[in-house]
Amino acid sequence: MLSTLDHYPTRLDRPSAPIPRIEPTVWGEPVHGPLDQAALNSFAEQGYLVRPQTVGEDWLPALSRELERVGADVDDADPRVIREPNGAVRSVFEPHLLSDLIAQVVALDTVLPVARQLLGSDVYIHQARINFMPGFTGTGFYWHSDFETWHAEDGMPAMRAASCSIALTDNFSYNGSLMVMPGSHRTFYPCVGATPENNHSKSLVRQELGVPDRAVLTAAAERFGINQFTGPAGTALWFDCNLMHGSGSNITPFPRSNIFLVFNSVENALTEPFAAQRPRPEFLAARQIRPVGASVPAD
Ligand code: 6CS
Ligand code: FE
């Protein structure tokens, strides 16, 4: 099988210069979905977009109860459950397969059409998770580009994926909300350090590999600045797969629970990992492509 050309070498044995992004950020046009030209331009420029009321208030109580149920019911031995160091549930992967209600969120007309428009094609769920970020004990996520991990460890060839993070509790500036470096998605920062076997068993609790060094992060923060995503429950933050982001820990009493849905274009199916011995498990990176909803009508 022809090996796919690696445009974004990473997990190297020595530092390497940043690489300008090859792909467009936005693949669709205003006519292809609910986002107008101004919104598409903003996403292309900033690498993210805030969409209030993506999940209506009438959904929120049932969805919050469903999140708690999934977190409580999922079997302790299930690898899809990631726990905080103190044992509290930190993340649950594949929640859309564990809950019909969450599966319905994927196909909402405020979600699926936006994903298709941004990616310019039919889409499938590459990864989905609930991040609970519990009050007092929720630990954060260090600065990283998701694409760096998905390219290195899952074999995602191109930057043609987007995350939709739906707040299910109010996201305040002080309870572990997402921080982003606006515009950083147009630069790929190669990282140093080979991927160890089974890296995800650690990286999902504390990511130490596949993160740029402090000099690179300092330069990026000075160049792009840092914005913080805040918003009431029901608000969605859409962000490009390569946007540099992270979150602080949550020492407030207020949990910051989000559903993360990662949409990948059906044209960007995973190949072999570009910088890991073997692919990560299916629940972290779907290799069986199931396009969401009916196919996009031909033009
Ligand atoms: O490794 C991953 O795929 C996950 N890790 C982080 C910190 N963000 C992206 C993704 O959910
Ligand atoms: Fe991430």
Side-chain angles (χ1 to χ4, degrees):
M1 171 186 154
L2 267 181
S3 69
T4 313
L5 191 59
D6 185 359
H7 295 295
Y8 300 109
T10 187
R11 311 280 169 103
L12 309 170
D13 57 7
R14 65 181 67 99
S16 177
I19 301 169
R21 180 190 189 112
I22 298 167
E23 302 85 0
T25 302
V26 171
W27 297 73
E29 306 288 336
V31 69
H32 295 139
L35 302 181
D36 63 16
Q37 193 62 63
L40 293 174
N41 293 347
S42 174
F43 189 84
E45 183 59 28
Q46 301 269 77
Y48 72 94
L49 186 70
V50 176
R51 298 270 294 165
Q53 282 132 26
T54 290
V55 166
E57 281 188 10
D58 52 334
W59 277 68
L60 291 172
L63 216 37
S64 287
R65 283 195 301 274
E66 189 67 348
L67 240 70
E68 294 314 318
R69 180 194 68 76
V70 167
D73 287 1
V74 62
D75 189 299
D76 238 6
D78 192 322
R80 294 175 293 185
V81 182
I82 309 296
R83 292 188 180 277
E84 297 285 1
N86 72 350
V89 178
R90 172 180 169 87
S91 304
V92 174
F93 284 88
E94 289 188 328
H96 60 306
L97 304 184
L98 294 166
S99 156
D100 291 341
L101 192 61
I102 296 173
Q104 289 170 43
V105 171
V106 175
L108 282 177
D109 60 6
T110 51
V111 177
L112 180 56
V114 175
R116 283 185 171 146
Q117 185 178 17
L118 290 175
L119 302 177
S121 70
D122 273 345
V123 297
Y124 71 95
I125 292 287
H126 162 69
Q127 179 189 102
R129 66 198 285 183
I130 303 169
N131 274 354
F132 285 89
M133 188 65 89
F136 296 114
T137 60
T139 55
F141 293 83
Y142 191 68
W143 291 108
H144 65 282
S145 150
D146 293 338
F147 177 76
E148 194 281 341
T149 292
W150 298 340
H151 183 70
E153 299 190 53
D154 302 335
M156 184 180 282
M159 295 180 184
R160 191 172 181 179
S163 290
C164 175
S165 168
I166 302 171
L168 291 178
T169 57
D170 294 346
N171 280 220
F172 303 107
S173 61
Y174 45 72
N175 67 335
S177 56
L178 221 55
M179 294 179 283
V180 297
M181 293 189 190
S184 61
H185 63 297
R186 289 195 296 271
T187 302
F188 181 77
Y189 294 100
C191 298
V192 175
T195 308
E197 278 286 321
N198 217 18
N199 182 47
H200 60 274
S201 62
K202 289 196 302 296
S203 67
L204 295 172
V205 179
R206 184 179 162 75
Q207 183 171 353
E208 293 173 337
L209 201 87
V211 295
D213 66 31
R214 289 183 177 177
V216 167
L217 287 169
T218 304
E222 285 168 351
R223 177 179 170 196
F224 300 113
I226 295 175
N227 288 353
Q228 198 149 22
F229 165 62
T230 57
T235 311
L237 170 73
W238 288 87
F239 60 103
D240 178 77
C241 58
N242 189 45
L243 189 70
M244 194 62 69
H245 65 287
S247 60
S249 292
N250 181 12
I251 60 169
T252 74
F254 313 114
R256 190 224 72 187
S257 297
N258 291 30
I259 294 180
F260 278 84
L261 303 172
V262 181
F263 292 94
N264 191 22
S265 166
V266 293
E267 312 295 331
N268 193 35
L270 303 187
T271 62
E272 285 307 301
F274 287 90
Q277 297 299 317
R278 71 191 82 262
R280 297 197 300 174
E282 184 75 13
F283 71 83
L284 283 178
R287 293 181 170 275
Q288 296 174 50
I289 293 187
R290 299 184 188 87
V292 183
S295 150
V296 179
D299 284 338

